[in-house]
Amino acid sequence: MFKPSHFAAVVLFALFASVVFGITQRETPRRMLHYGIYCFVLFVGSAIVLSWLMFLIAR
Amino acid sequence: MTGVRRCSCPDSGERRNSSHLKLTGRFHLIAMEPMAAPVRYSQVAMGTPENKIAAAAPSQQGFVYLPLIAGWLIPGAGHFLLHKWKRGALLSVSIIGMFALGLAMQGRIYSGAHDILDLLGLVGDLGNGLLFLVARAMDLGTEQVQITTADYGTRFVVVAGLLNVIAAVDAHNLRTGRKQ
């Protein structure tokens, strides 16, 4: 059984989803790479920001 | 003294197709130059509807929906059919990897629709195509495990199916020439 931490699960999710988004939503390889990185940063960044927000709200 | 020089009249800038000459003294001479040939812009590679139709023409042979169906059944197969090897490999690794990780996290595979959330989960799982059928046949993901990673695993499986649908539609767009 695979038991990743919460953050590892977020990173894995963001990685796979960003690869698919990059390939399917852009036409040239360069733009695919840029869009994939952009999506990855947004996925992980938004997860970190929301996590801190929930942490602060819960305190 | 006679001579010819460039006119510095303020309106000379407006006369782009003529050379406005000025003789020394009070006389102006406007010498007309032959009109330049009109520039014809090539529409090759432009996204005009005609070119899109022309670009799509060679790919209209055969069954147009084959990459869509193949891509849905086997992740990345639609791109492989269109000889997009790298894209197909990346899509295949990503979607199958996400599905496998979901199962490894003891994620659940929806088997029936008892309520609206189950129905949505089943629709997402069905996007995995043959992966879903094989997992169902092997009784994978049938037990409900009440741990956090199992919940993540369930989401991984559903999202893998949705991503596979996006990839299959992308293969269809490549096939029809809507995307290059």
Side-chain angles (χ1 to χ4, degrees):
Chain A
M1 183 185 166
F2 179 57
K3 293 179 77 171
S5 66
H6 293 197
F7 185 70
V10 165
V11 170
L12 285 171
F13 183 95
L15 179 68
F16 293 135
S18 300
V19 168
V20 177
F21 281 178
I23 291 173
T24 57
Q25 304 300 312
R26 292 293 183 270
E27 296 208 354
T28 61
R30 187 178 177 83
R31 295 190 68 201
M32 286 176 186
L33 180 66
H34 287 177
Y35 190 66
I37 293 170
Y38 173 74
C39 287
F40 181 81
V41 170
L42 276 189
F43 271 128
V44 177
S46 59
I48 292 172
V49 169
L50 288 174
S51 302
W52 273 106
L53 278 177
M54 287 188 283
F55 173 76
L56 294 173
I57 289 169
R59 284 173 69 88
Chain B
M1 290 283 293
T2 58
V4 179
R5 62 180 172 85
R6 269 274 192 224
C7 178
S8 58
C9 294
D11 63 341
S12 62
E14 297 174 4
R15 306 180 185 191
R16 298 187 184 280
N17 291 322
S18 65
S19 63
H20 183 192
L21 302 176
K22 179 184 179 184
L23 300 173
T24 53
R26 303 173 70 181
F27 299 100
H28 291 241
L29 174 67
I30 299 172
M32 296 298 292
E33 291 177 351
M35 289 287 287
V39 177
R40 293 180 184 275
Y41 293 99
S42 170
Q43 291 190 340
V44 174
M46 286 188 173
T48 59
E50 294 81 8
N51 283 332
K52 285 189 175 178
I53 292 168
S59 63
Q60 294 296 330
Q61 302 160 355
F63 187 45
V64 178
Y65 295 102
L66 184 61
L68 178 69
I69 295 170
W72 169 60
L73 290 174
I74 303 169
H79 288 77
F80 290 143
L81 280 177
L82 300 170
H83 306 292
K84 304 282 185 185
W85 307 110
K86 287 181 185 173
R87 295 188 201 182
L90 282 170
L91 290 172
S92 182
V93 167
S94 297
I95 293 166
I96 294 175
M98 199 167 193
F99 184 83
L101 281 179
L103 288 182
M105 285 189 247
Q106 293 191 313
R108 175 183 161 216
I109 288 185
Y110 292 93
S111 56
H114 305 296
D115 57 15
I116 185 67
L117 288 178
D118 281 353
L119 179 64
L120 292 174
L122 180 64
V123 169
D125 280 358
L126 281 171
N128 286 299
L130 284 181
L131 292 176
F132 171 77
L133 297 177
V134 169
R136 289 285 303 154
M138 296 173 67
D139 281 339
L140 296 173
T142 51
E143 58 199 63
Q144 282 206 337
V145 183
Q146 299 293 334
I147 56 174
T148 312
T149 50
D151 198 32
Y152 291 165
T154 305
R155 305 296 162 245
F156 267 53
V157 172
V158 171
V159 173
L162 297 175
L163 292 175
N164 191 36
V165 171
I166 294 175
V169 171
D170 185 62
H172 178 66
N173 288 337
L174 287 168
R175 177 70 171 81
T176 56
R178 193 175 298 164
K179 183 184 175 188
Q180 299 299 315

